[in-house]
Amino acid sequence: MIDADAARAAAEQRRTVAARSEPGWAAAHAGEPQLVHTVEGRPSYWVCPIVDAGGLRGFVRVTGDGKVAAHGTFGGAPSVVTGITAEEAVEIARHGTPAGAEIGAPLYVHDGPPGREAWRVEVRAGGRTTVLMVGPGGAYEWVPRDGE
């Protein structure tokens, strides 16, 4: 698995090429990469924001071996490459949980193929642990498929 500096360098190289067709990318730069894990918690790939003085312009997805898998822009105007912050994910997870529920630390994961990203948040209440996937559109309970 490459480190954050290598992911940023790969994203910056793609940003330079993509600037020919992406408005606003010419004056932008690759920001701080966000590591994306598997649901089980293993490092999987990086998502690197493309930012300028006006804020977030897009993203570059970089594989664990340093290849660029995708780049693009966002529909809407998120302020962070993850759509919401880890703190916002905790607040969304807390909504609708029983009083006194223990909310675990969020982990940024992909639930399925790369690009299907969300914050994984464990909620423990009444002797039961529920895993929630939390993103800008809300939360859903994650249930492992056979073999997971």
Side-chain angles (χ1 to χ4, degrees), residues 41-112:
R42 292 183 307 276
S44 187
Y45 61 89
W46 296 90
V47 174
C48 191
I50 301 300
V51 296
D52 67 12
L56 187 61
R57 294 288 169 233
F59 69 92
V60 176
R61 191 172 294 119
V62 181
T63 64
D65 62 359
K67 294 181 179 127
V68 172
H71 75 272
T73 57
F74 297 101
S79 60
V80 292
V81 75
T82 55
I84 60 173
T85 66
E87 294 79 15
E88 290 169 321
V90 167
E91 286 308 309
I92 292 169
R94 190 177 313 283
H95 182 72
T97 61
E102 184 182 334
I103 309 295
L107 181 67
Y108 200 58
V109 302
H110 62 97
D111 174 19

